Amino acid sequence: MYDVAVIGCGVVGAAAAYELSRYNCRVLVLEAKNDVANVTTKANSAILHAGYDPAPGSLMAKTNVRGVKLAKEICEKLDVERDEIGSLVLAFNEEDERHLEMLYRQGLENGVPGVELLTADEVRALEPNVSEKVTAALYAPSAAIVSPWEFALALAETAVVNGCEVQLSAPVTGIDRIDGGYRLHTPKGDFEARYIINAAGLHCDKVHEMVGGTGFTVHGVRGEYYIMDKSQGNVVSHVIFQCPNEKGKGVLVAPTVHGNLIVGPSADAVDDVESVANTAFGLEEVRTAAAKSIPDLNYRESIRNFSGVRCYTQQEDFIIEESRQAPGFINLAGIRSPGLSAAPAIAEMAVELLRGCGLQTEAKKDFIDTRRRTVFHRLSAKEKAALIKENPLYGRVICRCETVTEGEIVDALHRPIVPTSIDAIKRRCNAGMGRCQGGFCGPRVHEIIARELGVPKEQVLMDEEGSWLLCGQTKTGKGGDLQ
């Protein structure tokens, strides 16, 4: 029997696994998808928010400021792309300016470091491309940009290195109470655990219902985005927000850690929490709103659109608590923005709740809390030459847009959580993230995955289960009989 089963391996589940892996307890992570960080975590604004927006005293406020501090430390230790560029919330009229003053006071009360109000001239000195209609801004220097999927991967991989077990393609289909804990049913078999952390994201309400839980229901809000080419990466140098409204933090314009520009999101309610289609309406909503902040964005340089669904419940705040109906069952539910920022602090709270339930947390003496990757394009010419001499695979560039080498792809395929799809490789080493979006490197990545994992090319997926790239006749050779 495991001590703790974590259901879901987005950034919150990964953070929980990472925090639990510090202790001498058996931890299992059950993830429904065939890779970690493959739902909301891979489809968000990639911002570590400073923490002025949540209401003082709320769980959001407490975990946001603490989480950003922890995230900074984690990213340094685990080699995750992160850049503390700061954020600006723009005002366009007196009403907006009053809102900024309220956010400023909240920031001070929440303990956000360095927040200050700027005049229009001070804003334009920092960001020459903002609208001439800007009248003021709130500046928060501690806001940062990050690679969200790499952040979650780093947490999950470090947990595995420290003894945590991760089962992918293992959706929980039912949960039974047994003596001393729970039995969880999955397509990969049944697993028993004394305690459960419910980090199932958009399906957290359904998982809670499996143990007779009630109290919240999820409804999804879809946000659509543009990713612009690196030619647009310097249009702004800070995260540019507008004043929040009833739909959330609004449309932002920001650089990414990979040198692109991200614009979005929209905010539209969806009945199906799996609905991540892009729509003409949603993308037009993004363009119209973004033009208020940065009037001259060049959408001809867009290289990708995507969308993600955020997890809302009836509650205004995060739900971080032991279930009232199921002892030892910890809900981490309704985790929307600033969930990415708050994840490490949410994980700390989850472990504390488990201690209150009886979990023994003896710290490991040999906990491994470092991680390093080879990122070829970051190296100096001398370092590149030495690396290629040691391993010639680093001398073969596979992704020309992002300068990703075969050596990096092979390394990714032998990391603690093995990627099995082309998009899983993209999330680990950026191959296919560039201007051509994998048009040139995709077939080469496909070949390398099949070779390194020792599987037929027909079994290599584009992304999730069923996203086959190749098919052919079965051994019977019957016409039209495809596999």
Side-chain angles (χ1 to χ4, degrees):
M1 177 179 280
Y2 294 91
D3 292 300
V4 184
V6 180
I7 302 175
C9 201
V11 70
V12 174
Y18 169 78
E19 189 66 22
L20 284 165
S21 72
R22 297 177 180 276
Y23 307 105
N24 287 315
C25 53
R26 292 189 69 205
V27 180
L28 169 70
V29 178
L30 297 172
E31 167 53 46
K33 301 294 184 182
N34 64 349
D35 196 14
V36 307
N38 208 15
V39 188
T40 303
T41 298
K42 73 172 182 181
N44 58 68
S45 302
I47 308 299
L48 295 175
H49 295 280
Y52 50 76
D53 191 53
S58 66
L59 289 173
M60 285 183 176
K62 294 174 182 177
T63 56
N64 187 344
V65 177
R66 171 69 177 162
V68 167
K69 180 179 182 295
L70 291 173
K72 180 178 181 179
E73 299 169 3
I74 290 168
C75 288
E76 289 174 356
K77 290 186 292 188
L78 304 187
D79 197 11
V80 177
E81 296 97 338
R82 174 190 169 280
D83 194 359
E84 196 168 287
I85 62 174
S87 66
L88 293 166
V89 184
L90 305 181
F92 297 90
N93 51 50
E94 291 183 0
E95 182 181 353
D96 285 349
E97 290 178 27
R98 287 192 293 272
H99 197 100
L100 292 190
E101 290 171 0
M102 182 269 290
L103 293 176
Y104 173 72
R105 291 192 298 272
Q106 284 192 171
L108 294 178
E109 191 169 348
N110 291 344
V112 179
V115 285
E116 59 179 305
L117 293 167
L118 303 182
T119 66
D121 288 341
E122 288 172 326
V123 174
R124 275 185 275 277
L126 292 174
E127 293 289 356
N129 291 320
V130 299
S131 168
E132 293 180 357
K133 296 179 181 179
V134 169
T135 61
L138 176 70
Y139 175 51
S142 62
I145 54 177
V146 72
S147 172
W149 44 87
E150 188 61 41
F151 185 34
L153 277 164
L155 293 165
E157 287 181 351
T158 304
V160 170
V161 167
N162 286 288
C164 176
E165 180 182 336
V166 174
Q167 290 282 348
L168 301 175
S169 301
V172 174
T173 56
I175 303 174
D176 298 326
R177 299 193 196 194
I178 59 174
D179 288 342
Y182 296 91
R183 180 177 293 116
L184 300 93
H185 305 289
T186 81
K188 288 196 167 182
D190 294 346
F191 301 90
E192 295 181 356
R194 293 181 175 86
Y195 307 102
I196 292 175
I197 288 179
N198 174 16
L202 293 163
H203 300 285
C204 60
D205 55 342
K206 304 303 181 187
V207 169
H208 190 212
E209 289 168 6
M210 292 178 186
V211 294
T214 60
F216 61 88
T217 302
V218 167
H219 63 276
V221 176
R222 181 172 59 202
E224 303 186 44
Y225 294 85
Y226 283 88
I227 291 291
M228 315 290 268
D229 187 62
K230 286 182 169 62
S231 64
Q232 305 301 297
N234 294 322
V235 170
V236 297
S237 55
H238 300 76
V239 181
I240 306 298
F241 291 108
Q242 297 167 10
C243 283
N245 56 39
E246 69 281 357
K247 288 189 173 184
K249 293 183 173 68
V251 170
L252 62 84
V253 180
T256 73
V257 292
H258 301 119
N260 301 89
L261 190 76
I262 187 169
V263 185
S266 57
D268 299 299
V270 288
D271 295 328
D272 179 6
V273 295
E274 301 281 350
S275 176
V276 292
N278 282 116
T279 66
F281 174 83
L283 294 174
E284 179 59 31
E285 182 182 342
V286 169
R287 289 194 300 271
T288 300
K292 184 177 179 181
S293 301
I294 311 294
D296 297 321
L297 289 172
N298 182 6
Y299 290 97
R300 295 181 68 180
E301 293 296 297
S302 173
I303 62 172
R304 184 87 177 188
N305 295 114
F306 71 92
S307 72
V309 180
R310 285 99 80 182
C311 178
Y312 282 72
T313 67
Q314 300 93 325
Q315 298 191 27
E316 294 289 330
D317 205 358
F318 294 157
I319 299 170
I320 305 174
E321 62 187 18
E322 182 182 11
S323 170
R324 294 177 177 85
Q325 295 84 21
F329 185 100
I330 307 301
N331 281 313
L332 307 181
I335 309 297
R336 54 190 186 275
S337 181
L340 179 66
S341 316
I346 293 172
E348 285 184 335
M349 292 186 69
V351 172
E352 191 59 36
L353 286 168
L354 287 172
R355 288 193 186 101
C357 296
L359 177 68
Q360 299 299 306
T361 53
E362 179 189 1
K364 290 177 180 173
K365 296 179 181 179
D366 56 351
F367 178 65
I368 298 169
D369 204 15
T370 58
R371 170 183 175 268
R372 286 291 174 265
R373 300 173 298 135
T374 297
V375 182
F376 187 77
H377 73 83
R378 292 184 192 167
L379 303 177
S380 67
K382 184 177 180 180
E383 289 170 329
K384 289 176 180 176
L387 185 60
I388 292 168
K389 185 176 181 180
E390 180 183 339
N391 183 349
L393 291 181
Y394 287 101
R396 185 186 180 201
V397 174
I398 300 299
C399 175
R400 288 177 280 176
C401 296
E402 299 292 314
T403 318
V404 180
T405 66
E406 184 171 1
E408 292 165 272
I409 295 169
V410 171
D411 281 351
L413 285 160
H414 296 282
R415 277 160 65 173
I417 299 175
V418 178
T420 57
S421 71
I422 291 173
D423 277 3
I425 289 294
K426 178 194 291 188
R427 289 187 287 274
R428 282 161 176 78
C429 60
N430 234 39
M433 285 282 193
R435 188 178 183 91
C436 83
Q437 288 291 292
F440 286 98
C441 66
R444 305 289 81 77
V445 173
H446 191 170
E447 292 173 358
I448 295 167
I449 293 171
R451 182 192 75 204
E452 292 296 315
L453 299 186
V455 299
K457 291 181 182 179
E458 292 86 350
Q459 291 184 17
V460 177
L461 300 171
M462 185 68 201
D463 190 10
E464 297 185 18
E465 300 288 355
S467 59
W468 309 108
L469 289 165
L470 301 177
C471 63
Q473 288 187 325
T474 63
K475 291 180 181 180
T476 63
K478 294 180 180 178
D481 190 5
L482 300 179
Q483 64 177 6

